[in-house]
Amino acid sequence: MAQIRKMDCQVVIKSSADEFYNAFRSKPQFLPKMSNGLIKDVKLLQGDWNSVGAVRLWSYASEGKPQMVKEIFEKVDEKSKTMVYKLVEGDLLNSYNSWRNIITITPAGERSMVKWTMEFEKQNEDILDPVGYADSLIALTKNIDAYLLNV
């Protein structure tokens, strides 16, 4: 029986936790502009941009390749600045049976810590861990941080 695995990556950023959280929580439609080309497009398919249950279609680059994913905004915790997204379609699901992205943003002195947790179930044991995807999340985080610092 396959098991759910977790992989984390963390990035220290200069933006405030509130500012970075609000970019993801309240302005996902602007993330392509903030991402410096990593996110090509995002479309709202169901619900509204900021509500749990919203369904969004993302076009992005990972490991230099164009990718697509449809996600459901599954859960939000305003106090801990945590958001959970469940992938329901897309390129990642060619290798994984299930996938969730969890992002948590916390203050860290004069900076902030962005933690991405990927929860996934591999289709088989030959599938590699998603290190390249984690690298893409780190690059995305740094690009959005740079954008927010220059606005």
Side-chain angles (χ1 to χ4, degrees):
M1 184 170 130
Q3 67 183 39
I4 301 293
R5 299 171 190 238
K6 289 187 180 185
M7 188 172 158
D8 294 331
C9 56
Q10 298 181 1
V11 183
V12 175
I13 60 171
K14 294 177 184 175
S15 299
S16 74
D18 285 338
E19 190 174 30
F20 197 89
Y21 173 76
N22 285 333
F24 275 85
R25 175 70 178 103
S26 303
K27 302 172 186 165
Q29 65 271 37
F30 299 115
L31 290 177
K33 180 179 178 182
M34 296 180 198
S35 75
N36 195 25
L38 291 178
I39 298 174
K40 305 300 182 196
D41 189 33
V42 59
K43 291 181 173 61
L44 180 67
L45 302 179
Q46 183 178 326
D48 67 64
W49 285 107
N50 304 323
S51 295
V52 169
V55 179
R56 305 174 197 156
L57 181 66
W58 297 87
S59 299
Y60 63 99
S62 180
E63 299 180 74
K65 296 180 223 156
Q67 304 280 314
M68 181 280 299
V69 68
K70 184 192 290 186
E71 70 174 17
I72 297 174
F73 183 21
E74 198 172 58
K75 190 185 329 182
V76 64
D77 182 329
E78 301 281 350
K79 187 174 181 182
S80 68
K81 293 181 179 47
T82 299
M83 294 161 282
V84 180
Y85 305 94
K86 178 182 178 182
L87 278 55
V88 293
E89 285 180 26
D91 296 299
L92 279 172
L93 297 179
N94 292 332
S95 300
Y96 302 92
N97 292 325
S98 65
W99 188 287
R100 275 190 177 77
N101 281 330
I102 303 163
I103 182 174
T104 303
I105 303 102
T106 54
E110 293 182 12
R111 297 175 181 241
S112 303
M113 173 70 71
V114 177
K115 178 182 176 185
W116 289 95
T117 301
M118 296 158 282
E119 294 181 348
F120 53 89
E121 179 186 349
K122 295 179 179 182
Q123 288 186 359
N124 63 61
E125 290 307 312
D126 295 332
I127 302 293
L128 299 175
D129 285 341
V131 175
Y133 186 81
D135 290 343
S136 295
L137 290 176
I138 291 168
L140 174 66
T141 301
K142 290 178 179 179
N143 287 359
I144 292 171
D145 182 40
Y147 177 89
L148 293 172
L149 292 171
N150 290 310
V151 174

